[in-house]
Short mmCIF file of all heavy atoms in Angstrom, two decimals:
data_model
loop_
_atom_site.label_atom_id
_atom_site.label_comp_id
_atom_site.label_asym_id
_atom_site.label_seq_id
_atom_site.Cartn_x
_atom_site.Cartn_y
_atom_site.Cartn_z
N PHE A 27 166.21 39.77 69.78
CA PHE A 27 166.91 39.25 71.02
C PHE A 27 167.94 40.30 71.43
O PHE A 27 168.94 40.49 70.71
CB PHE A 27 167.52 37.91 70.77
CG PHE A 27 168.30 37.38 71.91
CD1 PHE A 27 167.67 37.18 73.17
CD2 PHE A 27 169.66 37.02 71.82
CE1 PHE A 27 168.37 36.68 74.24
CE2 PHE A 27 170.37 36.55 72.87
CZ PHE A 27 169.76 36.35 74.07
N GLY A 28 167.72 40.94 72.53
CA GLY A 28 168.61 42.01 72.92
C GLY A 28 168.47 43.13 71.88
O GLY A 28 167.38 43.58 71.54
N GLY A 29 169.57 43.54 71.30
CA GLY A 29 169.53 44.55 70.26
C GLY A 29 169.45 44.03 68.89
O GLY A 29 169.47 44.76 67.92
N LEU A 30 169.38 42.71 68.71
CA LEU A 30 169.40 42.05 67.41
C LEU A 30 168.01 41.95 66.83
O LEU A 30 167.05 41.49 67.54
CB LEU A 30 170.05 40.69 67.52
CG LEU A 30 170.17 39.85 66.18
CD1 LEU A 30 171.10 40.54 65.24
CD2 LEU A 30 170.59 38.43 66.51
N THR A 31 167.83 42.25 65.56
CA THR A 31 166.56 42.05 64.82
C THR A 31 166.90 41.31 63.52
O THR A 31 167.83 41.75 62.82
CB THR A 31 165.87 43.37 64.44
OG1 THR A 31 165.59 44.12 65.65
CG2 THR A 31 164.58 43.12 63.69
N ALA A 32 166.19 40.21 63.30
CA ALA A 32 166.51 39.41 62.11
C ALA A 32 165.17 38.88 61.50
O ALA A 32 164.33 38.34 62.20
CB ALA A 32 167.40 38.21 62.43
N GLY A 33 164.99 39.09 60.20
CA GLY A 33 163.79 38.61 59.54
C GLY A 33 163.23 39.66 58.56
O GLY A 33 164.01 40.48 58.02
N LEU A 34 161.94 39.56 58.29
CA LEU A 34 161.29 40.49 57.39
C LEU A 34 160.65 41.60 58.24
O LEU A 34 159.71 41.37 58.97
CB LEU A 34 160.21 39.71 56.56
CG LEU A 34 159.36 40.61 55.61
CD1 LEU A 34 160.23 41.26 54.54
CD2 LEU A 34 158.27 39.70 54.94
N ALA A 35 161.18 42.78 58.12
CA ALA A 35 160.74 43.89 59.03
C ALA A 35 160.86 45.21 58.30
O ALA A 35 161.39 45.31 57.18
CB ALA A 35 161.60 43.91 60.28
N GLN A 36 160.30 46.24 58.92
CA GLN A 36 160.40 47.62 58.41
C GLN A 36 161.86 48.00 58.24
O GLN A 36 162.67 47.79 59.18
CB GLN A 36 159.67 48.58 59.31
CG GLN A 36 159.54 50.01 58.78
CD GLN A 36 158.37 50.15 57.81
OE1 GLN A 36 157.34 49.57 58.02
NE2 GLN A 36 158.62 50.94 56.76
N SER A 37 162.23 48.59 57.13
CA SER A 37 163.59 49.05 56.93
C SER A 37 163.97 50.03 58.06
O SER A 37 163.20 50.89 58.42
CB SER A 37 163.77 49.73 55.55
OG SER A 37 164.97 50.37 55.44
N PHE A 38 165.19 49.88 58.55
CA PHE A 38 165.67 50.78 59.57
C PHE A 38 165.96 52.20 58.99
O PHE A 38 166.23 53.12 59.79
CB PHE A 38 166.93 50.19 60.21
CG PHE A 38 166.61 49.17 61.28
CD1 PHE A 38 166.13 47.93 60.93
CD2 PHE A 38 166.76 49.44 62.64
CE1 PHE A 38 165.82 46.97 61.85
CE2 PHE A 38 166.47 48.50 63.59
CZ PHE A 38 165.96 47.26 63.21
N TYR A 39 165.91 52.36 57.72
CA TYR A 39 166.07 53.67 57.07
C TYR A 39 164.82 54.52 57.29
O TYR A 39 164.89 55.78 57.31
CB TYR A 39 166.35 53.47 55.61
CG TYR A 39 166.55 54.72 54.81
CD1 TYR A 39 167.79 55.27 54.68
CD2 TYR A 39 165.52 55.34 54.16
CE1 TYR A 39 168.02 56.44 53.93
CE2 TYR A 39 165.70 56.52 53.40
CZ TYR A 39 166.96 57.04 53.29
OH TYR A 39 167.13 58.17 52.55
N ASP A 40 163.66 53.90 57.34
CA ASP A 40 162.38 54.61 57.29
C ASP A 40 162.05 55.40 58.53
O ASP A 40 162.45 55.01 59.64
CB ASP A 40 161.23 53.59 57.02
CG ASP A 40 161.36 52.91 55.68
OD1 ASP A 40 162.11 53.45 54.81
OD2 ASP A 40 160.77 51.86 55.47
N TYR A 41 161.29 56.46 58.36
CA TYR A 41 160.82 57.31 59.45
C TYR A 41 159.39 57.70 59.10
O TYR A 41 159.18 58.49 58.17
CB TYR A 41 161.76 58.52 59.59
CG TYR A 41 161.32 59.48 60.66
CD1 TYR A 41 161.50 59.16 62.01
CD2 TYR A 41 160.76 60.74 60.39
CE1 TYR A 41 161.16 60.04 63.02
CE2 TYR A 41 160.41 61.63 61.36
CZ TYR A 41 160.61 61.28 62.73
OH TYR A 41 160.22 62.15 63.69
N ILE A 42 158.44 57.20 59.85
CA ILE A 42 157.01 57.42 59.53
C ILE A 42 156.27 57.77 60.77
O ILE A 42 155.73 56.87 61.45
CB ILE A 42 156.36 56.21 58.88
CG1 ILE A 42 157.25 55.70 57.73
CG2 ILE A 42 155.00 56.51 58.37
CD1 ILE A 42 156.79 54.38 57.13
N PRO A 43 156.18 59.03 61.20
CA PRO A 43 155.41 59.43 62.37
C PRO A 43 153.94 59.01 62.25
O PRO A 43 153.32 58.52 63.19
CB PRO A 43 155.62 60.90 62.49
CG PRO A 43 156.90 61.20 61.77
CD PRO A 43 156.89 60.18 60.62
N PHE A 44 153.26 59.37 61.11
CA PHE A 44 151.95 58.89 60.81
C PHE A 44 151.77 58.96 59.28
O PHE A 44 152.51 59.63 58.58
CB PHE A 44 150.87 59.77 61.53
CG PHE A 44 150.96 61.24 61.25
CD1 PHE A 44 150.32 61.74 60.12
CD2 PHE A 44 151.62 62.09 62.10
CE1 PHE A 44 150.37 63.13 59.85
CE2 PHE A 44 151.67 63.44 61.85
CZ PHE A 44 151.04 63.96 60.67
N GLY A 45 150.79 58.19 58.83
CA GLY A 45 150.66 58.08 57.35
C GLY A 45 149.35 58.61 56.84
O GLY A 45 148.55 59.19 57.55
N PHE A 46 149.12 58.33 55.59
CA PHE A 46 147.90 58.74 54.86
C PHE A 46 147.32 57.55 54.13
O PHE A 46 147.99 56.57 53.92
CB PHE A 46 148.21 59.92 53.88
CG PHE A 46 148.54 61.17 54.59
CD1 PHE A 46 149.82 61.36 55.08
CD2 PHE A 46 147.60 62.19 54.74
CE1 PHE A 46 150.17 62.56 55.73
CE2 PHE A 46 147.92 63.36 55.34
CZ PHE A 46 149.20 63.56 55.85
N TYR A 47 146.07 57.68 53.67
CA TYR A 47 145.46 56.61 52.93
C TYR A 47 146.17 56.42 51.57
O TYR A 47 146.35 55.35 51.11
CB TYR A 47 143.98 56.92 52.69
CG TYR A 47 143.08 56.93 53.93
CD1 TYR A 47 141.78 57.24 53.83
CD2 TYR A 47 143.61 56.63 55.17
CE1 TYR A 47 140.91 57.27 54.95
CE2 TYR A 47 142.81 56.68 56.31
CZ TYR A 47 141.51 56.99 56.15
OH TYR A 47 140.67 57.02 57.29
N LEU A 48 146.52 57.56 50.96
CA LEU A 48 147.18 57.54 49.64
C LEU A 48 148.48 56.72 49.74
O LEU A 48 148.70 55.87 48.94
CB LEU A 48 147.41 58.91 49.21
CG LEU A 48 148.23 59.06 47.88
CD1 LEU A 48 147.44 58.54 46.70
CD2 LEU A 48 148.62 60.57 47.62
N ALA A 49 149.24 57.02 50.75
CA ALA A 49 150.48 56.28 51.00
C ALA A 49 151.19 57.10 52.10
O ALA A 49 150.87 58.27 52.34
CB ALA A 49 151.36 56.20 49.78
N SER A 50 152.17 56.46 52.69
CA SER A 50 153.01 57.24 53.64
C SER A 50 153.87 58.16 52.75
O SER A 50 154.44 57.71 51.78
CB SER A 50 153.92 56.29 54.41
OG SER A 50 153.15 55.49 55.24
N LEU A 51 153.85 59.44 53.08
CA LEU A 51 154.60 60.41 52.29
C LEU A 51 156.06 60.40 52.67
O LEU A 51 156.68 61.41 53.03
CB LEU A 51 153.97 61.80 52.44
CG LEU A 51 152.48 61.90 52.12
CD1 LEU A 51 151.98 63.35 52.27
CD2 LEU A 51 152.22 61.39 50.67
N ALA A 52 156.70 59.22 52.61
CA ALA A 52 158.10 59.08 52.93
C ALA A 52 158.47 57.63 52.58
O ALA A 52 157.67 56.88 52.02
CB ALA A 52 158.35 59.33 54.44
N GLY A 53 159.70 57.22 52.90
CA GLY A 53 160.11 55.86 52.63
C GLY A 53 159.26 54.91 53.46
O GLY A 53 159.03 55.10 54.68
N ASP A 54 158.79 53.83 52.90
CA ASP A 54 157.97 52.81 53.58
C ASP A 54 158.23 51.48 52.94
O ASP A 54 157.63 51.12 51.94
CB ASP A 54 156.51 53.20 53.46
CG ASP A 54 155.61 52.29 54.31
OD1 ASP A 54 156.15 51.46 55.02
OD2 ASP A 54 154.38 52.44 54.23
N GLN A 55 159.20 50.74 53.48
CA GLN A 55 159.64 49.54 52.80
C GLN A 55 159.97 48.43 53.82
O GLN A 55 160.70 48.65 54.77
CB GLN A 55 160.97 49.83 52.01
CG GLN A 55 161.57 48.61 51.36
CD GLN A 55 160.76 48.22 50.12
OE1 GLN A 55 160.59 48.98 49.21
NE2 GLN A 55 160.27 47.00 50.12
#
């Protein structure tokens, strides 16, 4: 709502332009 996000969501720390089958080669939480 507006700029507020609340619930179970992707961590705001993460940065994932695109991933791989093995796993995203970065933080993914």
Side-chain angles (χ1 to χ4, degrees):
F27 176 57
L30 180 68
T31 300
L34 178 62
Q36 187 82 38
S37 171
F38 278 72
Y39 180 90
D40 296 341
Y41 178 73
I42 311 173
F44 57 85
F46 290 80
Y47 295 177
L48 176 65
S50 295
L51 302 183
D54 186 6
Q55 178 73 60

